[in-house]
Amino acid sequence: MKALMNACSQRLVQWLLLFGLCVLVGYGQQQYSRLQQIETALSQQLPARVRETFSDLYSNDDPEPLIVSRINEDLARSGSQERVQACVIELIALNSPDNQAWWPFGQQLAISWQWDERQYRSLLSVGCQTQMPQLLGTGLLLSLGLMGLICLLPGPISAARQQWMSRLLQEGSSLVQGYAVTSEVDRLNPAQQQSLWTLVDSEVCTARQALVSFSPLLLSDLSEDQLDWLQVGLRQSNGNFETALQVARSENRLVFDIVGGGLTVHGVPLSLPRTPYFYYLWYASLRLQTEGAENGWTINPSVQRPDHQAAEQLIEWMEQADGHRKAINDLKQNGLRAKTLDQNRNKIKEELVSLLGETLAAPFLFETERDPKTGRSRYRLALPASKIEIRETSESVKR
């Protein structure tokens, strides 16, 4: 409500300024027009009237004052156009040597004319009444019209919009196309604009594709994290905007498809190397075992005692999905070793961070703490069990 009142106040001030300007310009135009009419009329009438009056007073030693007096009597009695225009005209000097400066609002008018070979410069006093009703009415209509035109004209272009238009022009768009495509840019918040710039700068899409496909309406409900996932979705889908939006709006879920060897992170299909994939799957299966106090935690095996029992599930999955024979044989012969677990956790982290970035990958990586009984480190997936799904067959297995 306050913003609306401020906008109305600004519009009112703008209109008052326009109205005052229109009245002032109208007054100047009115005075100038009258002076032009009077000058045109008297330039034709004055020389003839002076000659006529002079012929009656040619015997007078100083006829000029009498000529001025008679012409002023004629002007006072005249029913000419000048009187109709509510102007009072008086001849001050038949031939004035003064070089009067011309000013449209002034009270004096100089008319130059020639008689025989002599040049005359007559000086007249002009006083015209202001036609106030007409002036105010014209000013009102003109100011309202200008105000309406200002409201229809586009406002100034913001710095952000100028940057986008510059990029569009570089890509080959015309100025008109750039203006149309950037019409919604100012509705984007800084995080949304930065997200779009990142897409364009990383050459995931062109500026035109970014602005057309991701309008403020689509982006308005996306958080900063979702905007980051949007970029991941575009990269992984080769610029498919619909798929990228689905990724951005997906949950933080981790889905394994054992038979197909697939992995989906937050709706994004990712490809891990075969052996790290199965170790990642193994940690996920432990996280799903919510019964008991462990709740997904597993302690690294002792250096002297590898864990053969824990290796059985990994061997089964690897053989089922045609895993690397060397890795399978190592597990059968040596069991699950701390060194192997550390190597594969590091490999999983490297792969996810390279694909998603550290911030987005963090919820899908590992938590670690010191086990109070053994003093060794123990690990588990940071993602809650409710967000993990393992598909062992065509049917989904959820816990």
Side-chain angles (χ1 to χ4, degrees):
M1 185 65 180
K2 186 177 180 180
L4 179 61
M5 292 180 64
N6 290 337
C8 292
S9 298
Q10 291 177 357
R11 291 298 185 189
L12 179 60
V13 171
Q14 289 175 351
W15 175 77
L16 288 174
L17 291 174
L18 276 176
F19 177 69
L21 181 62
C22 289
V23 170
L24 181 62
V25 172
Y27 174 78
Q29 189 275 335
Q30 187 181 90
Q31 295 299 316
Y32 176 76
S33 177
R34 286 175 172 179
L35 288 175
Q36 289 294 304
Q37 293 176 8
I38 292 170
E39 182 178 6
T40 300
L42 291 182
S43 294
Q44 299 173 358
Q45 299 173 11
L46 184 61
R49 185 58 180 141
V50 169
R51 292 188 188 96
E52 180 183 344
T53 305
F54 185 79
S55 63
D56 294 339
L57 301 173
Y58 68 92
S59 61
N60 196 299
D61 294 336
D62 188 13
E64 183 171 331
L66 293 176
I67 293 174
V68 170
S69 176
R70 286 195 180 185
I71 290 178
N72 283 333
E73 289 176 2
D74 291 344
L75 290 172
R77 292 193 304 268
S78 174
S80 65
Q81 183 179 4
E82 291 74 43
R83 292 291 294 175
V84 174
Q85 292 293 334
C87 294
V88 177
I89 307 168
E90 181 180 0
L91 180 62
I92 299 174
L94 186 62
N95 188 25
S96 172
D98 297 335
N99 186 20
Q100 298 290 335
W102 180 87
W103 175 245
F105 305 150
Q107 298 295 317
Q108 293 184 347
L109 177 67
I111 298 178
S112 298
W113 53 284
Q114 187 174 353
W115 185 6
D116 293 334
E117 296 182 356
R118 185 178 177 184
Q119 188 73 27
Y120 286 83
R121 189 172 182 275
S122 299
L123 190 64
L124 298 99
S125 171
V126 180
C128 297
Q129 295 180 3
T130 302
Q131 296 178 328
M132 192 57 68
Q134 178 184 353
L135 192 62
L136 293 177
T138 303
L140 177 63
L141 292 176
L142 187 58
S143 63
L144 289 175
L146 289 173
M147 196 66 200
L149 183 60
I150 291 174
C151 292
L152 292 176
L153 290 175
I157 298 177
S158 66
R161 191 174 180 185
Q162 290 178 20
Q163 290 178 341
W164 280 105
M165 288 185 65
S166 176
R167 187 58 174 263
L168 288 167
L169 292 175
Q170 292 175 14
E171 292 179 357
S173 296
S174 67
L175 188 61
V176 174
Q177 291 171 335
Y179 190 86
V181 171
T182 58
S183 61
E184 302 291 331
V185 161
D186 292 332
R187 293 177 58 188
L188 298 173
N189 62 42
Q192 292 167 347
Q193 290 210 28
Q194 183 58 45
S195 179
L196 288 188
W197 273 117
T198 302
L199 296 178
V200 176
D201 291 338
S202 60
E203 299 183 354
V204 173
C205 60
T206 65
R208 183 178 180 84
Q209 288 173 326
L211 292 173
V212 171
S213 301
F214 295 113
S215 67
L217 182 63
L218 291 175
L219 294 178
S220 60
D221 62 338
L222 298 183
S223 65
E224 291 189 25
D225 283 346
Q226 288 176 319
L227 289 171
D228 292 338
W229 280 110
L230 182 71
Q231 298 176 30
V232 174
L234 276 175
R235 288 195 297 268
Q236 297 298 318
S237 64
N238 295 320
N240 188 304
F241 297 104
E242 184 176 349
T243 300
L245 280 174
Q246 291 176 355
V247 169
R249 292 170 176 154
S250 296
E251 296 182 79
N252 263 1
R253 292 189 63 82
L254 191 59
V255 181
F256 293 87
D257 180 4
I258 299 177
V259 176
L263 172 66
T264 303
V265 178
H266 199 284
V268 180
L270 298 181
S271 178
L272 287 180
R274 299 299 292 164
T275 301
Y277 170 83
F278 288 110
Y279 278 88
Y280 198 24
L281 173 62
W282 182 71
Y283 277 105
S285 68
L286 294 177
R287 193 67 164 101
L288 288 173
Q289 296 172 8
T290 56
E291 297 180 1
E294 296 303 321
N295 196 20
W297 289 103
T298 180
I299 304 172
N300 263 5
S302 170
V303 176
Q304 292 80 19
R305 298 181 60 185
D307 192 340
H308 287 273
Q309 183 178 357
E312 292 178 359
Q313 181 65 74
L314 272 168
I315 294 171
E316 180 183 342
W317 281 331
M318 287 183 179
E319 289 182 335
Q320 179 183 350
D322 194 22
H324 289 297
R325 180 51 54 184
K326 182 179 179 181
I328 296 173
N329 291 335
D330 181 66
L331 286 171
K332 287 181 177 180
Q333 295 173 10
N334 302 314
L336 196 58
R337 294 178 297 173
K339 179 181 178 181
T340 307
L341 287 171
D342 292 342
Q343 289 175 344
N344 280 279
R345 278 196 312 273
N346 291 334
K347 186 62 176 177
I348 292 167
K349 181 178 180 180
E350 290 175 6
E351 291 290 334
L352 290 183
V353 169
S354 67
L355 293 170
L356 306 177
E358 290 188 8
T359 302
L360 297 184
F364 302 95
L365 297 177
F366 300 92
E367 296 176 324
T368 181
E369 65 180 27
R370 185 71 61 181
D371 181 61
K373 293 181 180 180
T374 64
R376 299 196 302 272
S377 297
R378 63 178 189 171
Y379 304 87
R380 73 171 181 180
L381 282 184
L383 202 65
S386 60
K387 302 295 184 180
I388 299 173
E389 179 181 347
I390 297 178
R391 298 173 181 173
E392 297 181 351
T393 62
S394 57
E395 297 290 330
S396 296
V397 177
K398 298 182 182 179
R399 295 180 178 86

